[in-house]
Amino acid sequence: MKKSFINLLAISALMFGMASCGGSQKSNEEAAKNEEAAVIAGNVPKDLLTEELKTETIQLLKDMPDSEIPYRVYNGEVKLGIENLGYMLPTSKANDITTSAQKARAVGIYFADLNILRAINQPTVDIEAVLAKLTADLNISYVQNVMKDKLPENASKEEFKEFTQKQQERIIDELAANDKIDVQIEILAGMAVEYACLMANPSLVIEGDATSAGLSENMEKRVAMLGEITEDLSAYYPDLKDLGTTIAPLQEKVVSVSTARNSNAEIMGIRDTLLQ
């Protein structure tokens, strides 16, 4: 990132103290120092997240790298074959998940599985039911409603890209408006890890030019960006610090399908850690 969320918050807090017309200059200076000390100590309540920082985070989420893989799967140029779907997270696992952070990560994992099942024309009823429960628990049922939107029939590449981009932006904006930026990040991380599990699946067969579509490069960039965001926002959301540490090793394991397959056990272990 070009800017540090931590430094921006310290500057913002200091400027607020100098400009405030309520109370003495001394008390304002003390308040600013206390806020800055909280930032340095990594103990900042999320309601101190300024609009500037919030806006920048939202934009970073919207700037996540695109991949042509979804469209190429949609139009049949790239075909996925998966003989063994046992790598997917069992829907029964949702019964063991208790914390909000775990539930958000699970939502991302199940959304990834949902997308894959749809791509290979497999039943999705069970996963949709689990997603309905988890999103309701997190009070983000609108996310699943957005995911139910349907593409125009025989959509062109431009229509496909516009549809998916608007879908993604609607979800980000809705979550941000409800002060759930951390939930969005947890969901994206869960999806990234599950797609890595897909890459690592020995039974995965990709027919077509998936390499030039940026499969591995896209994954690397997404994990790197999520790492930057979790590092900068961990002072506001403690769960994100653990999240960033957990997914960091993933970046070097998704540089190619063969590397992912060789790291199958480690990648599956990362997913397990996300839900512990």
Side-chain angles (χ1 to χ4, degrees):
M1 287 177 158
K2 293 181 180 178
K3 303 178 189 176
S4 164
F5 285 99
I6 303 298
N7 291 339
L8 279 173
L9 178 65
I11 294 170
S12 171
L14 183 59
M15 289 179 66
F16 176 79
M18 292 171 62
S20 175
C21 56
S24 67
Q25 181 178 355
K26 182 178 180 181
S27 62
N28 287 334
E29 289 175 352
E30 288 177 352
K33 287 180 180 179
N34 288 338
E35 288 180 350
E36 186 170 0
V39 173
I40 295 171
N43 181 25
V44 188
K46 65 181 181 180
D47 57 4
L48 282 181
L49 187 66
T50 66
E51 284 303 314
E52 182 179 1
L53 306 185
K54 187 175 180 180
T55 299
E56 185 172 344
T57 305
I58 292 169
Q59 192 57 52
L60 280 167
L61 292 172
K62 291 181 178 180
D63 287 343
M64 282 286 180
D66 294 325
S67 170
E68 292 186 7
I69 287 288
Y71 176 69
R72 292 188 176 192
V73 170
Y74 167 76
N75 70 8
E77 185 178 345
V78 169
K79 295 182 180 179
L80 300 179
I82 308 171
E83 182 179 338
N84 184 0
L85 295 175
Y87 82 92
M88 290 186 173
L89 188 68
T91 54
S92 59
K93 178 66 178 177
N95 298 324
D96 303 327
I97 297 171
T98 56
T99 72
S100 295
Q102 291 169 349
K103 289 181 179 181
R105 297 167 188 180
V107 166
I109 291 169
Y110 285 125
F111 267 140
D113 288 343
L114 177 66
N115 289 338
I116 295 302
L117 291 175
R118 285 175 173 171
I120 59 177
N121 298 313
Q122 293 295 313
T124 60
V125 175
D126 290 345
I127 281 187
E128 289 182 34
V130 169
L131 281 168
K133 180 182 184 306
L134 289 173
T135 54
D137 288 349
L138 293 168
N139 197 25
I140 57 169
S141 296
Y142 49 82
V143 171
Q144 190 174 14
N145 293 334
V146 173
M147 293 294 287
K148 290 179 181 178
D149 291 348
K150 293 186 178 180
L151 273 167
E153 191 173 348
N154 299 318
S156 66
K157 183 176 181 179
E158 290 72 23
E159 289 174 327
F160 184 94
K161 184 175 181 180
E162 181 180 6
F163 175 87
T164 54
Q165 183 175 349
K166 284 184 177 180
Q167 192 178 54
Q168 173 180 294
E169 290 184 356
R170 280 177 61 195
I171 291 173
I172 292 172
D173 288 339
E174 288 274 11
L175 288 167
N178 288 280
D179 293 323
K180 294 183 181 290
I181 286 179
D182 56 325
V183 175
Q184 172 71 58
I185 297 167
E186 301 276 13
I187 290 174
L188 287 172
M191 292 184 76
V193 172
E194 190 68 348
Y195 284 134
C197 291
L198 169 67
M199 288 178 65
N201 184 349
S203 75
L204 171 66
V205 176
I206 304 176
E207 298 178 7
D209 192 6
T211 304
S212 67
L215 178 62
S216 297
E217 183 181 2
N218 179 273
M219 285 288 294
E220 286 183 87
K221 288 180 178 178
R222 278 182 170 268
V223 174
M225 288 184 72
L226 285 169
E228 291 180 21
I229 293 173
T230 55
E231 181 179 355
D232 285 322
L233 292 185
S234 61
Y236 304 93
Y237 307 101
D239 285 328
L240 293 187
K241 183 174 183 179
D242 292 335
L243 176 69
T245 301
T246 301
I247 66 173
L250 193 64
Q251 190 173 358
E252 63 182 23
K253 301 183 188 302
V254 295
V255 294
S256 69
V257 172
S258 60
T259 301
R261 284 181 174 174
N262 290 334
S263 305
N264 188 308
E266 292 94 327
I267 292 173
M268 297 294 284
I270 289 172
R271 187 182 73 179
D272 292 341
T273 301
L274 281 186
L275 300 177
Q276 290 175 353

